[in-house]
Amino acid sequence: MRQIILFLTTVVLLGTYACKKEETFIPPGFAQILKNTAVDNYYIQNNPNSVYKIPIGLSTVSDKDRTINFTVTSPTGAVLGTQYSLSHNNSITIPAGEVLDTIEIRGLFAGYPTGRKDTLVVKLSGGDVDIESGRQEFKLVLQKYCDVILAALNGSYPNTRESYSNGTSPYGPYTTLVKNLTMIAGSTTKAEGFIENIYNDGWNDIKVILDWTNPANFTATIPLQATGKNYSGPTSVRSHAGKVNTFSSCDQSITVTIQLTNAAGTAILDQDYQVRLKKQ
């Protein structure tokens, strides 16, 4: 009986020790990039406050400062100091008692001519903590964003040129006129107006719809309408869906790829012809 009691006492003590050990065990800390997605877009505005923030987190609190090293590379050739700047130089230090810090990337507006797009790859690379857990790499796509100002898009485009999308049959420059651009009722990101002298052949003023709902995809759409001309019969025009149909408020340009059709739009007479309007 004495042996049984001693055995049970030993089991209870061991069980109590095991429970206490489990309750007080703290796993090794690790660092990770606290983003829900592996890739995101950053539209750079002409504003000193335009910045993209990447939060970095630690899994545990410590009584010591901890350093996390990282690298930023660009497969597209973005250069630090020309296309972007960083708030930290390849490492961040999270103070004792804290678990969060932020890498700030500031896109440099002057470093992005219209059409340039870059990818930055941010990768945790070591330091005082484990980086083998959680998200260690994040990609950021940078490109310029300009607010759409309709008054600036209205006006004369003396550098209007044309060609097929493969570059053949070049024509121009000549002058077109964009006029009467106004917001579409009920929308804050769509406007409509008219282009005078598009195609440089005595057409009617042609209606165009500008849409900047998606900052990554500004669109310029010409709905089916009569040109006022006869090319093998009354001829209509529309933008060619799936081709380049866009505009830029940064450099004040509009590009549309058009189809010439019969009056009803049921037969295509010509297509893949790009008209590029630029003010300069």
Side-chain angles (χ1 to χ4, degrees), residues 19-40:
C19 290
K20 287 184 178 179
K21 185 174 183 180
E22 183 177 354
E23 290 171 358
T24 58
F25 174 72
I26 299 176
F30 64 86
Q32 62 179 322
I33 297 172
L34 300 177
K35 298 293 292 185
N36 293 327
T37 178
V39 182
D40 200 6

PDB file of all heavy atoms in Angstrom, residues 19-40:
ATOM      1  N   CYS A  19       2.681  19.911 -16.768  1.00  0.00           N
ATOM      2  CA  CYS A  19       1.706  20.950 -17.088  1.00  0.00           C
ATOM      3  C   CYS A  19       2.323  22.334 -16.963  1.00  0.00           C
ATOM      4  O   CYS A  19       2.141  23.188 -17.818  1.00  0.00           O
ATOM      5  CB  CYS A  19       0.491  20.850 -16.169  1.00  0.00           C
ATOM      6  SG  CYS A  19      -0.534  19.399 -16.499  1.00  0.00           S
ATOM      7  N   LYS A  20       3.063  22.536 -15.859  1.00  0.00           N
ATOM      8  CA  LYS A  20       3.683  23.851 -15.665  1.00  0.00           C
ATOM      9  C   LYS A  20       4.697  24.139 -16.751  1.00  0.00           C
ATOM     10  O   LYS A  20       4.795  25.246 -17.248  1.00  0.00           O
ATOM     11  CB  LYS A  20       4.335  23.909 -14.287  1.00  0.00           C
ATOM     12  CG  LYS A  20       3.334  24.000 -13.150  1.00  0.00           C
ATOM     13  CD  LYS A  20       4.043  24.162 -11.820  1.00  0.00           C
ATOM     14  CE  LYS A  20       3.023  24.309 -10.691  1.00  0.00           C
ATOM     15  NZ  LYS A  20       3.692  24.449  -9.368  1.00  0.00           N
ATOM     16  N   LYS A  21       5.458  23.123 -17.140  1.00  0.00           N
ATOM     17  CA  LYS A  21       6.454  23.319 -18.177  1.00  0.00           C
ATOM     18  C   LYS A  21       5.794  23.700 -19.490  1.00  0.00           C
ATOM     19  O   LYS A  21       6.250  24.577 -20.211  1.00  0.00           O
ATOM     20  CB  LYS A  21       7.284  22.050 -18.334  1.00  0.00           C
ATOM     21  CG  LYS A  21       8.442  22.207 -19.318  1.00  0.00           C
ATOM     22  CD  LYS A  21       9.299  20.969 -19.327  1.00  0.00           C
ATOM     23  CE  LYS A  21      10.484  21.165 -20.264  1.00  0.00           C
ATOM     24  NZ  LYS A  21      11.356  19.975 -20.306  1.00  0.00           N
ATOM     25  N   GLU A  22       4.676  23.064 -19.817  1.00  0.00           N
ATOM     26  CA  GLU A  22       3.963  23.348 -21.062  1.00  0.00           C
ATOM     27  C   GLU A  22       3.377  24.749 -21.051  1.00  0.00           C
ATOM     28  O   GLU A  22       3.395  25.446 -22.034  1.00  0.00           O
ATOM     29  CB  GLU A  22       2.856  22.306 -21.257  1.00  0.00           C
ATOM     30  CG  GLU A  22       2.098  22.483 -22.558  1.00  0.00           C
ATOM     31  CD  GLU A  22       1.054  21.395 -22.745  1.00  0.00           C
ATOM     32  OE1 GLU A  22       1.014  20.467 -21.941  1.00  0.00           O
ATOM     33  OE2 GLU A  22       0.272  21.504 -23.697  1.00  0.00           O
ATOM     34  N   GLU A  23       2.882  25.170 -19.875  1.00  0.00           N
ATOM     35  CA  GLU A  23       2.258  26.483 -19.775  1.00  0.00           C
ATOM     36  C   GLU A  23       3.275  27.614 -19.897  1.00  0.00           C
ATOM     37  O   GLU A  23       2.961  28.674 -20.417  1.00  0.00           O
ATOM     38  CB  GLU A  23       1.516  26.602 -18.446  1.00  0.00           C
ATOM     39  CG  GLU A  23       0.267  25.744 -18.367  1.00  0.00           C
ATOM     40  CD  GLU A  23      -0.307  25.730 -16.960  1.00  0.00           C
ATOM     41  OE1 GLU A  23       0.291  26.341 -16.067  1.00  0.00           O
ATOM     42  OE2 GLU A  23      -1.360  25.111 -16.779  1.00  0.00           O
ATOM     43  N   THR A  24       4.493  27.398 -19.450  1.00  0.00           N
ATOM     44  CA  THR A  24       5.476  28.472 -19.450  1.00  0.00           C
ATOM     45  C   THR A  24       6.430  28.415 -20.635  1.00  0.00           C
ATOM     46  O   THR A  24       7.261  29.299 -20.796  1.00  0.00           O
ATOM     47  CB  THR A  24       6.307  28.417 -18.156  1.00  0.00           C
ATOM     48  OG1 THR A  24       6.934  27.121 -18.063  1.00  0.00           O
ATOM     49  CG2 THR A  24       5.426  28.630 -16.945  1.00  0.00           C
ATOM     50  N   PHE A  25       6.280  27.418 -21.505  1.00  0.00           N
ATOM     51  CA  PHE A  25       7.172  27.294 -22.648  1.00  0.00           C
ATOM     52  C   PHE A  25       6.857  28.369 -23.689  1.00  0.00           C
ATOM     53  O   PHE A  25       5.702  28.578 -24.066  1.00  0.00           O
ATOM     54  CB  PHE A  25       7.024  25.915 -23.288  1.00  0.00           C
ATOM     55  CG  PHE A  25       7.814  25.761 -24.559  1.00  0.00           C
ATOM     56  CD1 PHE A  25       9.189  25.659 -24.520  1.00  0.00           C
ATOM     57  CD2 PHE A  25       7.177  25.730 -25.793  1.00  0.00           C
ATOM     58  CE1 PHE A  25       9.920  25.521 -25.683  1.00  0.00           C
ATOM     59  CE2 PHE A  25       7.902  25.587 -26.957  1.00  0.00           C
ATOM     60  CZ  PHE A  25       9.283  25.479 -26.901  1.00  0.00           C
ATOM     61  N   ILE A  26       7.870  29.106 -24.141  1.00  0.00           N
ATOM     62  CA  ILE A  26       7.699  30.140 -25.159  1.00  0.00           C
ATOM     63  C   ILE A  26       8.448  29.712 -26.403  1.00  0.00           C
ATOM     64  O   ILE A  26       9.676  29.517 -26.352  1.00  0.00           O
ATOM     65  CB  ILE A  26       8.237  31.501 -24.671  1.00  0.00           C
ATOM     66  CG1 ILE A  26       7.470  31.951 -23.423  1.00  0.00           C
ATOM     67  CG2 ILE A  26       8.115  32.552 -25.771  1.00  0.00           C
ATOM     68  CD1 ILE A  26       8.005  33.227 -22.815  1.00  0.00           C
ATOM     69  N   PRO A  27       7.755  29.506 -27.534  1.00  0.00           N
ATOM     70  CA  PRO A  27       8.434  29.053 -28.747  1.00  0.00           C
ATOM     71  C   PRO A  27       9.357  30.130 -29.285  1.00  0.00           C
ATOM     72  O   PRO A  27       9.198  31.311 -28.985  1.00  0.00           O
ATOM     73  CB  PRO A  27       7.274  28.796 -29.714  1.00  0.00           C
ATOM     74  CG  PRO A  27       6.189  29.689 -29.222  1.00  0.00           C
ATOM     75  CD  PRO A  27       6.326  29.729 -27.737  1.00  0.00           C
ATOM     76  N   PRO A  28      10.360  29.741 -30.077  1.00  0.00           N
ATOM     77  CA  PRO A  28      11.263  30.733 -30.665  1.00  0.00           C
ATOM     78  C   PRO A  28      10.497  31.747 -31.506  1.00  0.00           C
ATOM     79  O   PRO A  28       9.543  31.396 -32.191  1.00  0.00           O
ATOM     80  CB  PRO A  28      12.185  29.877 -31.547  1.00  0.00           C
ATOM     81  CG  PRO A  28      12.060  28.493 -31.007  1.00  0.00           C
ATOM     82  CD  PRO A  28      10.674  28.383 -30.477  1.00  0.00           C
ATOM     83  N   GLY A  29      10.887  33.015 -31.441  1.00  0.00           N
ATOM     84  CA  GLY A  29      10.212  34.051 -32.209  1.00  0.00           C
ATOM     85  C   GLY A  29      10.617  34.021 -33.667  1.00  0.00           C
ATOM     86  O   GLY A  29      11.717  33.608 -34.015  1.00  0.00           O
ATOM     87  N   PHE A  30       9.707  34.442 -34.534  1.00  0.00           N
ATOM     88  CA  PHE A  30      10.035  34.557 -35.953  1.00  0.00           C
ATOM     89  C   PHE A  30       9.446  35.851 -36.506  1.00  0.00           C
ATOM     90  O   PHE A  30       8.494  36.410 -35.968  1.00  0.00           O
ATOM     91  CB  PHE A  30       9.557  33.345 -36.751  1.00  0.00           C
ATOM     92  CG  PHE A  30       8.063  33.155 -36.791  1.00  0.00           C
ATOM     93  CD1 PHE A  30       7.285  33.800 -37.753  1.00  0.00           C
ATOM     94  CD2 PHE A  30       7.419  32.326 -35.877  1.00  0.00           C
ATOM     95  CE1 PHE A  30       5.913  33.627 -37.803  1.00  0.00           C
ATOM     96  CE2 PHE A  30       6.048  32.156 -35.917  1.00  0.00           C
ATOM     97  CZ  PHE A  30       5.294  32.798 -36.871  1.00  0.00           C
ATOM     98  N   ALA A  31      10.029  36.321 -37.583  1.00  0.00           N
ATOM     99  CA  ALA A  31       9.577  37.550 -38.246  1.00  0.00           C
ATOM    100  C   ALA A  31       8.858  37.195 -39.528  1.00  0.00           C
ATOM    101  O   ALA A  31       9.167  36.199 -40.176  1.00  0.00           O
ATOM    102  CB  ALA A  31      10.766  38.455 -38.547  1.00  0.00           C
ATOM    103  N   GLN A  32       7.895  38.044 -39.915  1.00  0.00           N
ATOM    104  CA  GLN A  32       7.204  37.833 -41.183  1.00  0.00           C
ATOM    105  C   GLN A  32       6.655  39.148 -41.705  1.00  0.00           C
ATOM    106  O   GLN A  32       6.497  40.116 -40.968  1.00  0.00           O
ATOM    107  CB  GLN A  32       6.068  36.819 -41.018  1.00  0.00           C
ATOM    108  CG  GLN A  32       4.973  37.241 -40.065  1.00  0.00           C
ATOM    109  CD  GLN A  32       3.872  36.214 -39.958  1.00  0.00           C
ATOM    110  OE1 GLN A  32       3.501  35.597 -40.951  1.00  0.00           O
ATOM    111  NE2 GLN A  32       3.355  36.010 -38.761  1.00  0.00           N
ATOM    112  N   ILE A  33       6.399  39.170 -43.003  1.00  0.00           N
ATOM    113  CA  ILE A  33       5.766  40.306 -43.651  1.00  0.00           C
ATOM    114  C   ILE A  33       4.255  40.167 -43.490  1.00  0.00           C
ATOM    115  O   ILE A  33       3.670  39.160 -43.887  1.00  0.00           O
ATOM    116  CB  ILE A  33       6.153  40.360 -45.144  1.00  0.00           C
ATOM    117  CG1 ILE A  33       7.670  40.560 -45.286  1.00  0.00           C
ATOM    118  CG2 ILE A  33       5.395  41.475 -45.865  1.00  0.00           C
ATOM    119  CD1 ILE A  33       8.180  40.424 -46.707  1.00  0.00           C
ATOM    120  N   LEU A  34       3.644  41.158 -42.897  1.00  0.00           N
ATOM    121  CA  LEU A  34       2.220  41.066 -42.550  1.00  0.00           C
ATOM    122  C   LEU A  34       1.340  41.625 -43.669  1.00  0.00           C
ATOM    123  O   LEU A  34       0.684  42.658 -43.537  1.00  0.00           O
ATOM    124  CB  LEU A  34       1.952  41.797 -41.228  1.00  0.00           C
ATOM    125  CG  LEU A  34       2.714  41.262 -40.009  1.00  0.00           C
ATOM    126  CD1 LEU A  34       2.415  42.109 -38.784  1.00  0.00           C
ATOM    127  CD2 LEU A  34       2.357  39.799 -39.747  1.00  0.00           C
ATOM    128  N   LYS A  35       1.342  40.936 -44.809  1.00  0.00           N
ATOM    129  CA  LYS A  35       0.489  41.287 -45.931  1.00  0.00           C
ATOM    130  C   LYS A  35      -0.360  40.074 -46.293  1.00  0.00           C
ATOM    131  O   LYS A  35       0.120  38.935 -46.261  1.00  0.00           O
ATOM    132  CB  LYS A  35       1.324  41.708 -47.140  1.00  0.00           C
ATOM    133  CG  LYS A  35       2.183  42.939 -46.912  1.00  0.00           C
ATOM    134  CD  LYS A  35       1.366  44.201 -46.708  1.00  0.00           C
ATOM    135  CE  LYS A  35       0.640  44.608 -47.973  1.00  0.00           C
ATOM    136  NZ  LYS A  35      -0.072  45.902 -47.804  1.00  0.00           N
ATOM    137  N   ASN A  36      -1.619  40.341 -46.643  1.00  0.00           N
ATOM    138  CA  ASN A  36      -2.529  39.248 -46.981  1.00  0.00           C
ATOM    139  C   ASN A  36      -2.299  38.694 -48.374  1.00  0.00           C
ATOM    140  O   ASN A  36      -2.835  37.648 -48.729  1.00  0.00           O
ATOM    141  CB  ASN A  36      -3.985  39.718 -46.860  1.00  0.00           C
ATOM    142  CG  ASN A  36      -4.366  40.030 -45.426  1.00  0.00           C
ATOM    143  OD1 ASN A  36      -3.875  39.401 -44.500  1.00  0.00           O
ATOM    144  ND2 ASN A  36      -5.234  41.012 -45.241  1.00  0.00           N
ATOM    145  N   THR A  37      -1.546  39.415 -49.179  1.00  0.00           N
ATOM    146  CA  THR A  37      -1.297  38.995 -50.554  1.00  0.00           C
ATOM    147  C   THR A  37       0.193  39.042 -50.833  1.00  0.00           C
ATOM    148  O   THR A  37       0.936  39.798 -50.198  1.00  0.00           O
ATOM    149  CB  THR A  37      -2.048  39.906 -51.549  1.00  0.00           C
ATOM    150  OG1 THR A  37      -1.746  39.512 -52.881  1.00  0.00           O
ATOM    151  CG2 THR A  37      -1.656  41.366 -51.355  1.00  0.00           C
ATOM    152  N   ALA A  38       0.648  38.236 -51.777  1.00  0.00           N
ATOM    153  CA  ALA A  38       2.069  38.182 -52.113  1.00  0.00           C
ATOM    154  C   ALA A  38       2.478  39.296 -53.071  1.00  0.00           C
ATOM    155  O   ALA A  38       3.669  39.592 -53.199  1.00  0.00           O
ATOM    156  CB  ALA A  38       2.412  36.825 -52.725  1.00  0.00           C
ATOM    157  N   VAL A  39       1.496  39.925 -53.746  1.00  0.00           N
ATOM    158  CA  VAL A  39       1.777  40.972 -54.729  1.00  0.00           C
ATOM    159  C   VAL A  39       0.745  42.085 -54.560  1.00  0.00           C
ATOM    160  O   VAL A  39      -0.440  41.813 -54.338  1.00  0.00           O
ATOM    161  CB  VAL A  39       1.720  40.429 -56.177  1.00  0.00           C
ATOM    162  CG1 VAL A  39       2.066  41.535 -57.169  1.00  0.00           C
ATOM    163  CG2 VAL A  39       2.647  39.247 -56.356  1.00  0.00           C
ATOM    164  N   ASP A  40       1.187  43.334 -54.665  1.00  0.00           N
ATOM    165  CA  ASP A  40       0.249  44.448 -54.601  1.00  0.00           C
ATOM    166  C   ASP A  40       0.724  45.552 -55.544  1.00  0.00           C
ATOM    167  O   ASP A  40       1.869  45.554 -56.006  1.00  0.00           O
ATOM    168  CB  ASP A  40       0.142  44.985 -53.174  1.00  0.00           C
ATOM    169  CG  ASP A  40      -1.139  45.780 -52.950  1.00  0.00           C
ATOM    170  OD1 ASP A  40      -1.987  45.821 -53.871  1.00  0.00           O
ATOM    171  OD2 ASP A  40      -1.288  46.365 -51.860  1.00  0.00           O
TER     172      ASP A  40
END
